[in-house]
Amino acid sequence: MNTREVPFATRLRRAGVLDAPRVQAQIEQINAITGTYLEDPAHALSYLADPDAGILQLLRLAEAARDSGDLDALVALRGTEGGSKLTILLGGSLALGDFLIRHPGMVADFGNLPVGEVFADIPVRRIIMESVGADPDSDAPVATVTGADGQAAMRIAYRRVLMRIASEDLFARVPAAIMHEVGSVLADLAGAALDAGLALARAAYPDHVATRLCILGMGKCGARELNYVSDVDVIYVAEPTDGHTDEESLRVAGRLANHAARACDSAGVEPALWEVDANLRPEGSDGALVRNVASHRAYYDRWAQTWEFQALLKARPIAGDLEIGQQYLDQMSPLVWEAVEREGFVESAQAMRRRVEQHVPRGESERQIKLGPGGLRDVEFTVQLLQLVHGRSDETLRSRNTLEALHALRAGGYVGRVQAATMDRSYRQLRVWEHRLQMRKLSRTHLMPATDDGKRVLARASGFATVEYMEEVWQDIRRDVRAMHLEMFYRPILPVTARLSADEAALDDNAARARLAAVGFGDPTGAKRHISALTEGVSRRASIQRQLLPAMIGWFAQGADPDAGLLAFRQLSEQLENAQWYLKLLRDSRTAAERLARLLSTSGYVTKALLASAQDITWLDNDEDLLPRDPARLWGEADAIMKRAADPDQCITALRGLRRRELARTSAANVLGMLSSVEAAKTVTTVADVLIDGALRVALATVVREKGLERAPVAMAVIAMGRYGGYEMGYNSDADVQFVYEGDGEGGHAFAQQVATELRRYLQSVGSQPGMEIDADLRPEGKNGPLVRSLASCREYYERWSDPWEAQALLRARPCAGDQQLRDRFVEMIDSVRYPEALEDSALTQMRRLKARMESERLPRGVDPRRHVKLGPGGLSDVEWSVQLLQLRHAHEHPALRTTVTLDALAAAVDAKLIEINDAEVLADAWRFATDIRGALALRGVGRRTDVLPPDVRQMKVLADIMNVRMTGSELDEQYSRASRRARLVTERVFFDWREEPR
């Protein structure tokens, strides 16, 4: 069919117009004003990002040009390349269209644009400086068009150049190909605006002659890869001119800097350009706005954090006295390449990445071009990290610009050809989308559109035939960029260079060790040796390890101890060398591989457990397998073991194996953040109950058989005490218990004594399965009393001889194994002791005296009490004794307080209005915090059991990682100190009854 026979409205819709009747009417209006400006409207509109908005903008522009007398300039563009660029601009940028409508005379610019515009040929600085009447060739240009007029003139000139850049950008056949040049000229334009702002400032402050001020661009402006709308990060540096003091220079420079910034970002007749951000300066917003070179150097030598040196990588003089700027760079640039050697480099880099991720609002992650996973920041972080690692010894890598640095890394053999090409292509496309989104309304945005209309406009603006195709490319880029960090950073470390393809990079030994050291391996030589052992050879195992290790190394590097993680991985892999399921699991399950790397590089306790029973690794692929087993299931399994076992030792070994397995499961879930320390303690306690109950049954049967009896002459029970009784056991805790029996048969006591002794022997640490120490020191008369007592003897002792502290200890007493009727009678017997009708003053005095003695005598010598999470001020003991005092005083009247669980008792005290809710929350928070830290100390798996916080902030950071809290070591230290300090104040009121004297 001939195109002339197709209805005009249909042709408009095919061109992308949504409201064809309205657009057709607007075209008729435009042609009526201009005399057929659009000869083939449908063809022209097919190139526009938003044809409907573009034709409306063209109509408004035609009306404005007619009213201002500039219609001839518009009509002259008909049929020219300049006219096409104008139309495309109107359809791609509503904001620049509005600018043209405010200044219709500037349509003449499109008639003067050279064909095939080259951005480098635009005299950006000269145009902007001349707009304020300043001589661009002067050493210190001074504006002659000043005040509000000068500000408006500069902003108009800025947008006039911006309009020229945007039209060429939108007109480009392949926008990604010129993205680099667009970013460069936008950065030059920003620098020129600040230079003009300085010229305006000099006109306002004649004493400008006292100083030589330079403005350094940071971030994207410094790197010459600026967006259409972005904060312009700057640092100011100034030196005095001859005959003036440093004090005079800095005072004047501060006024000039402020004036120049406000020329760009304050409200005015013409809208502000962008925000000028000087917060990257030394000490941030709290520091001096302007410093001299020596002051900057002194700060970076003594106080600067690692990220501040990384920020200096992008520094570039962009306005003012460039000679002073070069002096600054000469002093600061060498420090950039020493940053990777600084202590805490890895932690700082990781903290930067976390801060970036935390800046992404919930729900926006999947749409974030800049900060989201697979976005621009991932590219920039990867390239910058590689620069910092290898730029120390290779000066070819010292480029500010991301793409230039990427090409240098490729040329130097630090990055493979395919990886570099993929990263380059991905980065360019992401930046094109970012530019198109910002250009539309000249607004600062980095979000892919959420609406169908927004997606349609972006797809057309960036050269995609359909929204579906654009979204497919977007997902591919996110996936590729996210994986590229591993490919580019870790894969070249692999020493089996013969196995790398010709397109992949291979590092020499020094470069590989440099990368390993940079990400946190304390012994890069040893790490490289482990990697060699894992990847050497042509076996299937070595081949799969070569696939796995780039990702695994990265995950180890994120852990608290990368070296330990890699070593354990090697040991595990060698142990399971012939187990096909192991490598298949890690190859096919990213979840299992990442979890294994985290566990091995974070927790020595879990590592030891996995090395002892490697088949437990299969749990890591499934959340359900890591969650605690139901207690009924555990009891059922224990019953089955005892029915199936042929002899006592076999039975006990199997029961201990059950406990070992559940400790491994629980500790792994705890480290992975699937289980809190309080929940983990409950599970650990339940498993201890199962083991002790089983061991008691086996010991009873053994002693009955050895004595030639038909049945046991007495009933026996085990009473859990202390933290065991409160369902608050730690991974390494002893089991505090009492042994009780009932029965008057001949030799009953000797029988019970032998059973208790046999039980303790069964549970000692022997063989491959971890043991559990039984501590019976909380029994009547302590170590001096008999190991077992009859129920009647216990009753007599507690009624006649026990001290108040023993009544307090009974608050945690909980029968955990043995004869159920005896257990019930024991509880009934002790309830009158631990829940008295009234607490005697003498008992209270003794409790407080004993607590004070514990604080002064039981703390290890030389330990700062504030760092002891159990006995220190505000620690576990303070909270528990405060709660126990409330139980001793009030549990007789309030049955809800009759529990062995600390937090349950505290909640009951709140319900009974025995403690202020705010005080209870302080105590509960401190108790949970101390429990978390105590659990982390055990999971760290270093040295013997301890309840003392390590003094080294790096070790505190290890604890923070185990606890799954995003804190530095010093932040964790400070937060615990705050929580314990508040808990101590409550303890002093609730337990010691200390009150502030009235003023």
Side-chain angles (χ1 to χ4, degrees):
M1 182 183 291
N2 192 296
T3 56
R4 295 182 182 277
E5 299 174 6
V6 178
F8 186 52
T10 301
R11 292 185 63 211
L12 289 177
R13 282 191 288 271
R14 288 178 179 175
V17 171
L18 297 180
D19 189 345
R22 184 180 66 82
V23 168
Q24 186 171 352
Q26 290 170 345
I27 290 171
E28 291 172 358
Q29 290 177 273
I30 292 169
N31 287 337
I33 294 171
T34 61
T36 318
Y37 179 79
L38 295 174
E39 296 177 344
D40 187 355
H43 178 74
L45 293 179
S46 66
Y47 290 97
L48 271 60
D50 188 345
D52 295 73
I55 205 69
L56 175 60
Q57 291 290 75
L58 182 58
L59 173 58
R60 293 176 61 210
L61 178 59
E63 292 171 341
R66 177 195 61 197
D67 296 342
S68 66
D70 296 299
L71 189 59
D72 290 345
L74 176 61
V75 172
L77 296 175
R78 182 170 51 201
T80 66
E81 182 178 290
S84 298
K85 290 179 179 178
L86 169 63
T87 307
I88 286 174
L89 178 70
L90 295 175
S93 176
L94 302 178
L96 288 173
D98 290 343
F99 171 73
L100 261 178
I101 291 164
R102 293 199 307 272
H103 306 282
M106 292 182 185
V107 295
D109 289 0
F110 290 89
N112 301 320
L113 291 177
V115 176
E117 176 78 271
V118 179
F119 292 126
D121 294 338
I122 303 176
V124 172
R125 184 172 180 275
R126 181 168 294 276
I127 292 171
I128 304 302
M129 295 298 284
E130 289 179 350
S131 71
V132 295
D135 179 5
D137 298 321
S138 169
D139 290 338
V142 180
T144 57
V145 182
T146 60
D149 291 341
Q151 180 192 75
M154 181 270 285
R155 294 180 180 183
I156 290 171
Y158 176 95
R159 289 198 171 87
R160 195 171 186 175
V161 175
L162 188 68
M163 179 180 69
R164 183 170 167 181
I165 296 167
S167 64
E168 295 293 339
D169 191 2
L170 287 165
F171 190 73
R173 187 178 298 274
V174 185
I178 66 167
M179 182 281 302
H180 181 64
E181 289 74 16
V182 170
S184 296
V185 72
L186 288 173
D188 293 344
L189 183 58
L194 283 166
D195 227 352
L198 271 180
L200 290 168
R202 293 189 189 101
Y205 300 106
D207 56 354
H208 68 83
V209 295
T211 191
R212 299 174 66 189
L213 172 65
C214 179
I215 304 177
L216 291 112
M218 306 292 286
K220 288 186 177 300
C221 185
R224 297 191 79 224
E225 51 191 16
L226 197 62
N227 302 324
Y228 278 89
V229 183
S230 175
D231 287 356
V232 175
D233 296 309
V234 299
I235 283 178
Y236 301 105
V237 59
E239 293 290 340
T241 54
D242 292 342
H244 295 89
T245 66
D246 195 61
E247 183 180 356
E248 289 177 293
S249 168
L250 295 177
R251 184 175 63 253
V252 173
R255 292 200 298 267
L256 295 176
N258 265 313
H259 196 103
R262 301 298 80 79
C264 297
D265 64 15
S266 64
V269 176
E270 278 291 320
L273 304 181
W274 17 254
E275 190 76 20
V276 179
D277 188 344
N279 286 334
L280 287 178
R281 67 185 185 268
E283 299 180 80
S285 58
D286 295 327
L289 182 64
V290 186
R291 293 174 183 248
N292 61 26
V293 174
S295 176
H296 276 279
R297 178 63 192 238
Y299 172 82
Y300 284 102
D301 279 339
R302 296 186 61 188
W303 308 112
Q305 299 180 48
T306 300
W307 69 264
E308 293 180 273
F309 294 103
Q310 292 177 249
L312 284 177
L313 176 62
K314 305 289 189 182
R316 176 178 65 91
I318 59 172
D321 195 314
L322 303 186
E323 184 179 335
I324 298 299
Q326 188 57 51
Q327 291 177 22
Y328 176 92
L329 292 184
D330 292 343
Q331 289 289 313
M332 306 305 157
S333 293
L335 302 178
V336 173
W337 309 107
E338 300 168 4
V340 74
E341 301 172 359
R342 290 169 60 91
E343 184 177 336
F345 170 81
V346 179
E347 291 82 357
S348 177
Q350 291 172 341
M352 284 180 65
R353 294 194 76 178
R354 285 196 297 270
R355 283 197 295 272
V356 167
E357 293 171 0
Q358 290 166 357
H359 273 84
V360 181
R362 186 173 298 177
E364 290 187 1
S365 178
E366 298 300 307
R367 295 169 51 215
Q368 258 284 354
I369 296 172
K370 179 180 179 181
L371 304 179
L376 291 165
R377 275 290 184 268
D378 273 3
V379 179
E380 293 159 357
F381 179 86
T382 300
V383 171
Q384 187 173 333
L385 191 57
L386 289 171
Q387 283 183 275
L388 291 168
V389 171
H390 299 297
R392 290 174 295 171
S393 55
D394 188 345
E395 294 187 4
T396 65
L397 305 180
R398 299 182 180 183
S399 171
R400 302 180 183 94
N401 185 274
T402 300
L403 290 182
E404 290 176 1
L406 180 59
H407 298 161
L409 287 164
R410 168 66 188 96
Y414 302 99
V415 171
R417 184 176 65 193
V418 172
Q419 290 90 341
T422 303
M423 187 72 89
D424 180 288
R425 183 171 61 252
S426 300
Y427 187 71
R428 287 177 183 272
Q429 184 58 61
L430 290 169
R431 291 298 303 276
V432 167
W433 280 326
E434 183 182 44
H435 284 178
R436 295 297 185 268
L437 287 167
Q438 293 181 348
M439 189 190 301
R440 184 163 172 77
K441 296 182 179 179
L442 287 186
S443 61
R444 188 182 178 208
T445 180
H446 308 284
L447 289 177
M448 292 293 274
T451 65
D452 291 341
D453 187 53
K455 294 175 183 177
R456 178 184 64 86
V457 172
L458 179 61
R460 290 174 63 91
S462 47
F464 287 89
T466 64
V467 169
E468 291 73 18
Y469 178 45
M470 181 184 74
E471 290 189 319
E472 183 180 334
V473 172
W474 161 236
Q475 295 303 326
D476 288 345
I477 286 176
R478 292 180 69 224
R479 182 185 62 251
D480 290 345
V481 169
R482 200 61 168 172
M484 202 61 61
H485 176 67
L486 301 176
E487 286 296 311
M488 292 175 64
F489 198 88
Y490 296 111
R491 186 165 176 76
I493 294 173
L494 302 188
V496 191
T497 55
R499 296 293 171 186
L500 298 181
S501 72
D503 289 335
E504 293 174 318
L507 303 178
D508 62 29
D509 283 351
N510 289 334
R513 282 194 293 270
R515 281 199 193 183
L516 289 166
V519 295
F521 284 86
D523 180 11
T525 301
K528 195 166 183 298
R529 186 167 58 249
H530 298 321
I531 294 168
S532 298
L534 287 162
T535 57
E536 280 178 343
V538 295
S539 66
R540 176 177 176 273
R541 179 182 71 88
S543 176
I544 294 177
Q545 295 282 27
R546 284 192 288 272
Q547 298 173 39
L548 287 172
L549 270 171
M552 298 293 288
I553 295 169
W555 292 326
F556 290 138
Q558 294 173 18
D561 191 342
D563 298 85
L566 182 56
L567 171 60
F569 182 66
R570 177 183 174 182
Q571 293 170 333
L572 203 55
S573 298
E574 290 173 348
Q575 181 180 326
L576 296 171
E577 183 174 2
N578 298 317
Q580 293 188 6
W581 63 265
Y582 167 65
L583 289 176
K584 183 177 185 300
L585 172 69
L586 299 186
R587 182 193 64 195
D588 297 344
S589 172
R590 174 189 170 96
T591 298
E594 187 170 0
R595 283 175 170 174
L596 178 62
R598 168 160 174 72
L599 292 172
L600 296 181
S601 61
T602 302
S603 171
Y605 181 93
V606 177
T607 297
K608 184 178 178 181
L610 293 178
L611 287 172
S613 183
Q615 68 271 15
D616 295 346
I617 293 168
T618 57
W619 300 334
L620 302 180
D621 189 38
N622 188 339
D623 287 358
E624 287 296 320
D625 289 339
L626 283 166
L627 294 177
R629 304 294 88 175
D630 182 80
R633 177 175 171 180
L634 294 176
W635 287 106
E637 188 174 345
D639 281 336
I641 288 171
M642 285 182 283
K643 290 174 182 176
R644 189 172 60 243
D647 61 74
D649 287 338
Q650 183 185 45
C651 183
I652 291 297
T653 298
L655 288 171
R656 286 169 57 174
L658 182 153
R659 176 173 177 264
R660 179 213 53 74
R661 184 195 70 200
E662 295 309 312
L663 288 180
R665 188 196 313 276
T666 302
S667 59
N670 198 176
V671 173
L672 294 172
M674 302 171 65
L675 207 61
S676 72
S677 292
V678 176
E679 293 168 326
K682 186 174 182 180
T683 299
V684 171
T685 304
T686 299
V687 177
D689 285 353
V690 172
L691 176 59
I692 289 177
D693 185 75
L696 176 62
R697 290 162 64 182
V698 172
L700 279 166
T702 300
V703 177
V704 165
R705 186 173 61 252
E706 287 179 355
K707 289 185 174 295
L709 302 173
E710 293 184 5
R711 61 183 180 82
V714 296
M716 288 194 67
V718 181
I719 312 301
M721 303 291 288
R723 303 187 69 79
Y724 178 26
Y727 285 99
E728 295 158 7
M729 287 188 82
Y731 295 105
N732 297 319
S733 294
D734 295 342
D736 292 313
V737 302
Q738 286 192 44
F739 293 103
V740 181
Y741 73 92
E742 188 174 39
D744 298 326
E746 185 177 349
H749 182 273
F751 179 89
Q753 179 88 9
Q754 187 174 346
V755 170
T757 302
E758 194 74 7
L759 182 149
R760 296 178 78 178
R761 183 183 68 82
Y762 280 147
L763 299 185
Q764 287 175 350
S765 297
V766 292
S768 60
Q769 305 293 9
M772 183 167 64
E773 295 298 321
I774 299 296
D775 187 341
D777 288 353
L778 289 178
R779 65 186 185 268
E781 300 182 79
K783 294 179 182 180
N784 298 320
L787 180 63
V788 296
R789 279 184 182 265
S790 68
L791 182 63
S793 175
C794 286
R795 179 181 294 110
E796 181 181 9
Y797 176 83
Y798 284 122
E799 288 178 354
R800 297 184 60 186
W801 310 110
S802 65
D803 288 329
W805 72 264
E806 291 177 287
Q808 182 184 353
L810 288 175
L811 290 169
R812 311 294 290 275
R814 175 183 61 84
C816 63
D819 184 86
Q820 186 60 55
Q821 291 183 352
L822 176 57
R823 294 160 73 168
D824 293 342
R825 284 194 288 273
F826 181 85
V827 169
E828 182 181 358
M829 179 269 294
I830 64 172
D831 275 357
S832 61
V833 180
R834 61 181 174 176
Y835 307 135
E837 292 185 19
L839 182 64
E840 299 291 337
D841 289 343
S842 59
L844 178 57
T845 300
Q846 187 186 64
M847 281 182 65
R848 288 171 175 165
R849 186 180 297 120
L850 181 60
K851 178 73 169 70
R853 283 182 56 195
M854 283 177 55
E855 294 178 2
S856 63
E857 297 176 7
R858 289 187 56 189
L859 282 167
R861 183 173 297 178
V863 169
D864 182 351
R866 293 170 298 181
R867 306 193 68 76
H868 202 288
V869 297
K870 180 180 179 181
L871 301 178
L876 293 168
S877 176
D878 268 9
V879 178
E880 290 162 2
W881 283 56
S882 297
V883 172
Q884 288 161 18
L885 177 57
L886 293 173
Q887 290 179 286
L888 287 168
R889 278 177 160 168
H890 304 288
H892 181 77
E893 298 173 357
H894 300 280
L897 282 168
R898 300 173 189 176
T899 174
T900 64
V901 182
T902 300
L903 292 183
D904 290 354
L906 186 56
V910 172
D911 292 341
K913 297 185 176 5
L914 303 174
I915 185 173
E916 293 291 336
I917 188 169
N918 291 339
D919 285 347
E921 288 175 353
V922 167
L923 292 178
D925 290 345
W927 190 89
R928 290 191 190 94
F929 202 166
T931 298
D932 287 342
I933 288 181
R934 201 174 193 228
L937 286 165
L939 289 168
R940 186 178 56 161
V942 178
R944 62 184 181 83
R945 188 174 68 209
T946 180
D947 294 315
V948 181
L949 292 175
D952 187 343
V953 293
R954 289 171 296 185
Q955 290 300 317
M956 288 295 291
K957 179 64 171 67
V958 173
L959 298 185
D961 289 343
I962 295 173
M963 293 164 62
N964 288 283
V965 293
R966 291 184 171 181
M967 295 184 194
T968 64
S970 58
E971 287 170 342
L972 180 65
D973 204 331
E974 181 181 343
Q975 187 160 325
Y976 176 73
S977 177
R978 185 185 308 116
S980 61
R981 188 167 57 247
R982 295 175 66 201
R984 180 62 177 186
L985 293 174
V986 175
T987 300
E988 289 172 354
R989 290 199 304 274
V990 173
F991 183 82
F992 290 107
D993 198 25
W994 293 353
R995 294 285 184 264
E996 291 185 9
E997 292 295 331
R999 296 183 179 181

